[in-house]
Amino acid sequence: FRAPCGDFTVCARHQEAPPCIPFGLASVFSGRISRKSVSHTEDIGDTMADNKRYRNPTEVQMSQLVLPCHTNHRGELSVGQLLKWIDTTACLSAERHAGCPCVTASMDDIYFEHTISVGQVVNIKAKVNRAFNSSMEVGIQVVSEDLCSEKQWSVCKALATFVAHRELSKVKLKQVTPLTEEEKTEHGVAAERRRMRLVYADTIKDLLARCAIQDDLDSKDYSNMVPAEKTRVESVELVLPPHANHQGNTFGGQIMAWMENVATIAASRLCRAHPTLKAIEMFHFRGPSQVGDRLVFKAIVNNAFKHSMEVGVCVEAYRQEAETQRRHINSAFMTFVVLDEDDQPQKLPWICPQPGEGERRYREASARKKIRLDRKYIVSCKQAEVPLSVPWDPSNQVYLSYNNVSSLKTLVAKDNWTLSSEISQVRLYTLEEDKFLSFHLEMVVHVDAAQAFLLLSDLRRRPEWDKHYRSVELVQQVDEDDTIYHVISPSLSGNSKPQDFVILASRRKPCDNGDPYVIALRSVTLPTHCETPEYQRGETLCSGFCLWSEGDQLTKVSYYNQATPGLLNYVTTNVAGLSSEFYNTFKACEHFLLDNRNDLAPGLQTL
Ligand code: COA
Ligand code: ADP
C-alpha cells in the first residue's frame, strides 16, 4: 500500500520538514527570554475567557496578580514563586482526579519564554493528561496577561507527575477518558513520556559516560577565570506547617523555590550581575520530606559557556535528632543567562573548576549541554526544523525512539479523519492537513492482538505479505523495543532504480486497557548504510501500525501513513477509489496474520 516499502516513503530529494509535534517530553518554547511583548495574542486567552467551552473535569485554574513581594531585583516575577503556584495548581488538579492527597514525584524540563512583570496577571491552568497506577501526568500552561493592553503571552508549559497517597492502602487510580483531540494526543503521548521519565536518570548517566567531550581546561588562561569555589552556596531551611500540606508533607513547589533561590545566588556570584533563569532540567523528588525536617541546599556553578551557565543544586534533609543521617531529596541543574538592557545575553566569565569533583562536574555540564540540545532538537516543537532522516547515534537514540512513537500517536489521535471508502470491511480513512495527506487503513482480523503485534513488529517478515518489501536486513537491535532495518524495495517503474530505506521500528505494548499495541516506523541515517549508486534512497516520515484488542482472538489492525507532496499523486490515485493495490496489500497482511496465528518463528517468541 504505497510506493515502495509499504510505508509512504518519499524520495530524499522531495523531502519536506516534518510536522510540529506538540508537547514533547519537555514542553519547549523557542526564542530567547525577553521582557518585551510579542505582538500576537495567544488563543489560550480565548479559551480562558470562554467559560461556555468544554472543560476537562480535572482542570484547575489559578490567577495571581504579580505584586512587588513576588518579584526579583528586575521587577519580574521570581521563578521560585512561579514554581510554587505551578505546583499548587497541578497538585489540586491531581487531587481532584485522585480524590485523595497527592505528592509531586517529578517536574519535567521547563523552558521559560517570557518573564512576567510586576502588575501583570499570571494565569495557570492544569489538567490531568493521564492516570497510570498510583501516578498521574499533569499538564500545566502558564500565560501572563497585561491588564491595561489586554495582551497575553505564553510563558511556559510544564509537565508534572503526582503520586496519590492513602495512609493504609495502595492507590489504584481510575483512568482518564480523553475526549478532545488535544486530550487524546496528550493521553497517548503521556505513556511515552512516562517511559522516558522512569529511565531518565539511567539515560543521562549512560549518555554522560559515552559523551566524549573534549574539555579545554589545559589550554585556558587561568588568570581571567573565576574559581568555581567563589560561587559555592550553602543554605538551610526549616520546614514549617505553611510549607507543607495537611498531612505534613513538604510541598514540591516550595522545595523548587528554595532551590531556585540558592541557584540564583551561585549564578550571581559568577557574573556579578542579576542573572535570569532560562531553563530548568527535570526535578525528581527521590524521597519525601516532612514538617520539622531541616533541608540543606548546596549550589555551585558547574560550567560557564559563552552566554549561559549551568548551576547545579543538591538538597538533603535531616531531623534535628539525627543530624548525620541525611536523605537525598533532589538534585537539579538550571541554566542562567545575563541579559543587558536590550534583553541580549551577555558574555560570561570563564569558570575554573576545582580539581577532582569540580572538573568532573565541569565536563558533565558540557555533556549535558549537548544532550539538552539533542533533546530539544528532536523532542520539542522545533522538530519542524529537523530533517526527515535524523542521524542515529547513541546520544539521541532515546529521543528518536520517543519521537517515532509520539509522532504516530499524535497522528492516530487526530479527530478529522474522514472515511473515504470501504471494500469488504477494509476501511480507508484520509486526513488533509497543511502540506500532508495522511491515510489509514483499518480491518478486524481473527487473531490475538499480542500475536499480531509480534508478527508485524518484525520487519524481516514483511516481504511475506508486502510486495513492496523485496528484502529486509536487521541492521541493529538497539534495545528490546527498537530495531533498525535496511529495506530494499523494487523500483517504482520499469526503468527507475530500486529504492532503499533505513528505518527505525519502535514498538510498544499497551500501557493499560484500551491502549493499542504500537509499531512506529520512521527513517534515520546511519554511517554504515550511506546512500549508494545502486539504489535511490527513500525516506518515510511517520507510519506504522496500531493494534487494538477487541476481544479474544479479535484485533482491529490499523495501518497509518503520513505522506508528503512527493507522493501525493500516488496516494490520491489510490484514495480516489481504494485501488486494488491498497486493498490487496492489506488483505495479504490479514492472510499472513491468520496463517501464522499459531506459528510464531522461534526468534519472535523470545521478544
Ligand atoms: N518520575 C515520575 N514518576 C515516578 C518517578 C519519576 N522519576 N519515579 C517513580 N515514579 C512513579 C512510578 O511510575 C509509580 O507510578 P505508578 O504507580 O503509576 O506505576 C509511582 O511513582 C510509585 O512508584 P514506586 O516504584 O512504587 O515507588 P518509588 O519507590 O519509586 O517512589 C515516589 C516514588 C515518588 C513515591 C517517592 O520517590 C517519593 O515519595 N518521593 C517524594 C515525593 C514527595 O514527597 N514530593 C514532595 C516534595 S519532597
Ligand atoms: P553530581 O555531583 O553528580 O552532579 P549531586 O546530586 O551530588 O550530583 O549534585 C548535584 C549538583 O549539586 C552538583 O552538580 C553541584 O552543582 C551541586 N552540589 C553538590 N554538592 C555540592 C556542594 N557540596 N556544594 C555546592 N554545590 C554542590
Side-chain angles (χ1 to χ4, degrees):
F1 28 115
R2 38 120 276 137
C5 210
D7 312 302
F8 257 96
T9 44
V10 58
C11 166
R13 259 175 268 136
H14 295 175
Q15 67 180 247
E16 287 283 325
C20 178
I21 304 298
F23 236 156
L25 168 77
S27 311
V28 181
F29 284 88
S30 56
R32 63 184 180 79
I33 296 171
S34 164
R35 286 182 69 197
K36 295 224 172 94
S37 64
V38 286
S39 54
H40 67 282
T41 301
E42 304 268 342
D43 72 328
I44 305 159
D46 299 335
T47 318
M48 289 230 176
D50 189 351
N51 289 330
K52 287 195 192 107
R53 282 201 195 176
Y54 161 76
R55 186 172 170 152
N56 183 298
T58 66
E59 184 183 302
V60 170
Q61 294 186 16
M62 179 188 276
S63 287
Q64 296 279 356
L65 183 60
V66 178
L67 301 172
C69 61
H70 302 131
T71 62
N72 58 22
H73 48 274
R74 287 170 64 105
E76 293 160 355
L77 174 63
S78 83
V79 173
Q81 179 61 63
L82 180 60
L83 290 171
K84 280 203 264 183
W85 287 336
I86 288 177
D87 182 65
T88 307
T89 317
C91 184
L92 293 178
S93 170
E95 291 183 348
R96 178 178 282 180
H97 181 75
C100 64
C102 297
V103 290
T104 324
S106 67
M107 180 80 77
D108 291 359
D109 308 6
I110 307 179
Y111 295 81
F112 298 98
E113 192 188 12
H114 292 287
T115 50
I116 308 172
S117 302
V118 67
Q120 291 182 340
V121 168
V122 51
N123 295 304
I124 304 171
K125 203 158 70 165
K127 68 172 171 63
V128 176
N129 290 333
R130 186 162 185 159
F132 302 101
N133 301 308
S134 65
S135 68
M136 287 151 279
E137 181 189 279
V138 181
I140 306 122
Q141 247 182 359
V142 181
V143 173
S144 66
E145 176 188 348
D146 187 292
L147 292 171
C148 303
S149 68
E150 290 185 53
K151 279 189 180 160
Q152 302 202 7
W153 299 264
S154 173
V155 173
C156 67
K157 288 182 183 175
L159 290 164
T161 303
F162 283 83
V163 174
H165 263 300
R166 265 195 214 105
E167 294 264 317
L168 299 172
S169 59
K170 199 164 165 57
V171 176
K172 176 70 190 127
L173 293 166
K174 61 176 183 289
Q175 289 189 8
V176 167
T177 310
L179 294 180
T180 65
E181 177 182 320
E182 189 262 346
E183 286 172 9
K184 285 179 190 161
T185 306
E186 295 303 336
H187 188 266
V189 179
E192 198 53 22
R193 288 191 287 246
R194 172 179 186 256
R195 193 173 187 270
M196 279 186 69
R197 238 170 247 135
L198 294 180
V199 296
Y200 180 82
D202 289 341
T203 307
I204 293 288
K205 212 158 93 191
D206 197 36
L207 294 180
L208 288 179
R210 291 196 217 193
C211 206
I213 292 283
Q214 293 293 318
D215 72 57
D216 44 1
L217 285 171
D218 294 340
S219 58
K220 279 195 170 160
D221 175 6
Y222 282 82
S223 58
N224 288 329
M225 288 174 151
V226 177
E229 274 309 292
K230 280 184 109 177
T231 71
R232 192 187 286 276
V233 184
E234 180 173 322
S235 180
V236 69
E237 300 282 353
L238 172 61
V239 181
L240 297 171
H243 304 133
N245 66 14
H246 54 282
Q247 293 194 320
N249 294 316
T250 317
F251 291 123
Q254 178 62 68
I255 294 182
M256 291 189 277
W258 281 327
M259 290 170 84
E260 190 262 343
N261 172 51
V262 288
T264 305
I265 298 172
S268 310
R269 285 185 178 158
L270 175 77
C271 58
R272 297 291 161 198
H274 297 303
T276 301
L277 182 55
K278 190 179 165 194
I280 296 176
E281 203 155 301
M282 171 87 72
F283 282 100
H284 169 209
F285 292 96
R286 293 156 191 257
S289 148
Q290 278 89 26
V291 169
D293 275 346
R294 274 72 174 158
L295 297 181
V296 180
F297 296 81
K298 292 177 189 165
I300 196 163
V301 176
N302 286 335
N303 202 337
F305 310 100
K306 197 170 175 190
H307 292 120
S308 69
M309 66 181 109
E310 182 199 274
V311 182
V313 193
C314 168
V315 189
E316 291 173 330
Y318 66 89
R319 308 292 297 180
Q320 191 181 18
E321 59 277 14
E323 198 162 327
T324 51
Q325 289 168 20
R326 295 202 171 189
R327 294 155 7 235
H328 187 188
I329 300 291
N330 206 325
S331 287
F333 301 96
M334 305 186 192
T335 304
F336 286 85
V337 291
V338 177
L339 300 175
D340 64 15
E341 282 170 3
D342 300 321
D343 284 334
Q344 295 302 316
Q346 288 188 296
K347 209 163 162 256
L348 297 173
W350 298 114
I351 192 122
C352 173
Q354 283 276 94
E357 280 286 271
E359 285 183 355
R360 172 184 65 80
R361 287 178 182 145
Y362 179 94
R363 288 192 185 94
E364 289 186 354
S366 297
R368 268 191 297 271
K369 189 165 188 246
K370 180 192 176 321
I371 294 166
R372 247 175 246 135
L373 279 175
D374 277 345
R375 197 162 62 214
K376 200 166 168 181
Y377 188 55
I378 298 170
V379 171
S380 76
C381 300
K382 285 216 157 190
Q383 201 212 358
E385 292 158 21
V386 179
L388 209 55
S389 279
V390 176
W392 174 268
D393 83 66
S395 71
N396 66 19
Q397 70 181 48
V398 178
Y399 309 118
L400 268 175
S401 166
Y402 164 83
N403 168 289
N404 194 13
V405 176
S406 56
S407 302
L408 183 61
K409 286 190 166 182
T410 304
L411 188 62
V412 173
K414 298 276 181 198
D415 64 3
N416 41 348
W417 286 102
T418 43
L419 180 62
S420 290
S421 47
E422 182 173 353
I423 300 179
S424 305
Q425 289 167 353
V426 174
R427 293 173 170 203
L428 171 71
Y429 295 83
T430 53
L431 171 75
E432 283 179 64
E433 269 193 331
D434 302 332
K435 343 184 188 62
F436 300 102
L437 173 66
S438 304
F439 71 91
H440 91 254
L441 285 152
E442 188 180 282
M443 65 182 170
V444 175
V445 185
H446 287 267
V447 63
D448 178 59
Q451 198 145 334
F453 175 65
L454 290 178
L455 288 164
L456 293 175
S457 60
D458 187 349
L459 253 58
R460 287 170 300 181
R461 301 205 63 179
R462 187 130 164 194
E464 292 179 39
W465 58 272
D466 187 351
K467 67 182 168 63
H468 302 107
Y469 273 56
R470 196 171 82 190
S471 65
V472 180
E473 173 207 358
L474 191 155
V475 176
Q476 199 180 329
Q477 185 71 53
V478 182
D479 56 34
E480 203 190 324
D481 292 323
D482 294 281
T483 316
I484 301 178
Y485 297 95
H486 184 220
V487 176
I488 308 221
S489 286
S491 60
L492 267 173
S493 61
N495 45 15
S496 63
K497 282 195 274 185
Q499 280 192 300
D500 75 333
F501 303 85
V502 181
I503 289 178
L504 167 66
S506 307
R507 56 180 212 166
R508 300 289 185 267
K509 288 185 182 149
C511 188
D512 48 39
N513 289 342
D515 224 20
Y517 288 88
V518 175
I519 303 158
L521 308 170
R522 65 156 294 149
S523 281
V524 289
T525 55
L526 271 185
T528 51
H529 287 71
C530 299
E531 270 188 80
T532 59
E534 199 184 340
Y535 302 110
Q536 185 182 350
R537 180 54 56 96
E539 293 191 315
T540 177
L541 180 67
C542 167
S543 64
F545 292 91
C546 279
L547 312 169
W548 283 269
S549 176
E550 301 234 306
D552 190 28
Q553 299 291 315
L554 211 57
T555 302
K556 185 169 83 181
V557 178
S558 280
Y559 173 80
Y560 290 82
N561 204 312
Q562 189 165 43
T564 43
L567 281 170
L568 277 187
N569 187 27
Y570 180 83
V571 180
T572 46
T573 311
N574 271 275
V575 164
L578 179 51
S579 90
S580 53
E581 192 172 354
F582 270 43
Y583 176 75
N584 290 343
T585 310
F586 213 44
K587 273 293 180 191
C589 176
E590 182 183 17
H591 288 138
F592 164 75
L593 294 175
L594 291 173
D595 291 348
N596 293 284
R597 57 197 288 179
N598 302 316
D599 180 29
L600 291 181
L604 285 175
Q605 281 166 343
T606 58
L607 287 175

